[in-house]
Amino acid sequence: MLVHSSSEYSCLSSRSTSLLRIPLILILRKMLFSREVESRRVAVQGFINILAQFRVMGALPSSQASFSFFFYIEPNNHNARANIIVRRTLYEGLSDVAKSNVKLVHNIMELLYQHLSTFIDIKEEILNPVKLHKTVTTQGESVVILEPLGELLLCLSKCKSFHDNRRTSRGMDDDEDDDFVTTLNGICSMFDSLVEKLAYCDLDDLNIGNISCSSAGARGKTNIMYVEVMIGVYDGLLHWVFCNDALQSPDKMKDLIALFKTQRKIIEANERET
């Protein structure tokens, strides 16, 4: 009778898992480019599960890992309405991966920050730093959201919280490379600038057009989508401030209240006119 040691079983199990993973990834890649929304959503969720459970890419250099992640985040232009469903699944899943697979937190944060930067302009003279025109698209007679910016901000904010909690619990201060420290500083600076500009602004500063504009026309439909994007942005910023010592800092608490009040003004103005 042939008896295998525990190490042999472990080796066999690892080899079997690897053999199964390759065809699974090929199937998911094919599904990711499907015209069917549900197929693409399932594919994204499948990749998320692989990242969370199989610990893939944990040992890869940052640039390689980021490139692989970028494959999942690229939009599919077959159906703009499908993009937002897939992206919301992606952002929700990436925050779960960051929580469960600590080896990928840095890669995820670097990717999300790079992607977020394409939608934000924090120049001092810019009143609304959100590039709203990049977040929506026209498809036929409809105007739809292409980038759910609120979910992107929320995902990045959650990843930052997971990162901070992990460092605090393990007492790690010097285990991060210079590139990630630069990214982390950039993330904090971008969020702080967004809070500073958007917490105390007037509705006229947001460049969302006339909220009362009729929703029947293209301009009105675009304004409605802009409003929806901005409401989501405020949700992401509220999470950021709350998770960064808002309860211990009077200034942060002031920012939190100001963000909430401005968001309510947008919601109430939109409700009055729609």
Side-chain angles (χ1 to χ4, degrees), residues 132 135-136 145 147 149-150 225-233:
L132 287 170
T135 65
V136 304
I145 295 175
E147 178 60 52
L149 201 57
M225 294 299 100
Y226 283 172
V227 167
E228 185 174 337
V229 170
M230 287 306 302
I231 290 172
V233 167

Side-chain angles (χ1 to χ4, degrees), residues 101-156:
N101 191 344
V102 296
K103 292 182 179 180
L104 296 180
V105 174
H106 290 186
N107 300 125
I108 293 172
M109 292 178 67
E110 287 171 349
L111 170 68
L112 292 175
Y113 173 58
Q114 180 183 9
H115 187 60
L116 176 62
S117 298
T118 64
F119 300 96
I120 303 297
D121 186 348
I122 57 175
K123 294 188 185 73
E124 185 176 352
E125 65 272 16
I126 302 296
L127 296 177
N128 183 0
V130 179
K131 298 178 182 179
L132 287 170
H133 65 282
K134 288 191 173 184
T135 65
V136 304
T137 188
T138 302
Q139 191 170 59
E141 297 183 355
S142 301
V143 180
V144 297
I145 295 175
L146 184 62
E147 178 60 52
L149 201 57
E151 280 88 343
L152 172 56
L153 285 165
L154 183 59
C155 180
L156 185 52

Side-chain angles (χ1 to χ4, degrees), residues 60-79:
L60 290 180
S62 175
S63 59
Q64 289 178 274
S66 295
F67 179 81
S68 298
F69 271 117
F70 191 77
F71 168 77
Y72 307 134
I73 206 170
E74 275 294 285
N76 183 309
N77 292 321
H78 292 320
N79 188 333

Side-chain angles (χ1 to χ4, degrees), residues 2-125:
L2 183 62
V3 179
H4 295 284
S5 67
S6 59
S7 61
E8 288 175 319
Y9 276 121
S10 177
C11 182
L12 289 171
S13 176
S14 177
R15 191 178 306 164
S16 298
T17 300
S18 179
L19 290 174
L20 289 172
R21 188 187 306 157
I22 294 173
L24 175 60
I25 289 177
L26 292 176
I27 292 172
L28 292 176
R29 283 174 64 98
K30 184 176 180 180
M31 292 174 64
L32 196 62
F33 290 98
S34 171
R35 292 179 180 271
E36 298 295 327
V37 178
E38 186 61 18
S39 293
R40 292 175 56 205
R41 190 193 66 78
V42 169
V44 169
Q45 190 61 59
F47 278 119
I48 291 297
N49 289 336
I50 290 175
L51 294 176
Q53 302 300 327
F54 288 101
R55 302 298 192 263
V56 296
M57 298 196 302
L60 290 180
S62 175
S63 59
Q64 289 178 274
S66 295
F67 179 81
S68 298
F69 271 117
F70 191 77
F71 168 77
Y72 307 134
I73 206 170
E74 275 294 285
N76 183 309
N77 292 321
H78 292 320
N79 188 333
R81 292 184 184 277
N83 282 333
I84 191 171
I85 297 173
V86 174
R87 282 178 176 272
R88 281 172 172 161
T89 301
L90 173 68
Y91 295 145
E92 181 179 353
L94 284 179
S95 63
D96 291 339
V97 172
K99 185 176 182 179
S100 62
N101 191 344
V102 296
K103 292 182 179 180
L104 296 180
V105 174
H106 290 186
N107 300 125
I108 293 172
M109 292 178 67
E110 287 171 349
L111 170 68
L112 292 175
Y113 173 58
Q114 180 183 9
H115 187 60
L116 176 62
S117 298
T118 64
F119 300 96
I120 303 297
D121 186 348
I122 57 175
K123 294 188 185 73
E124 185 176 352
E125 65 272 16

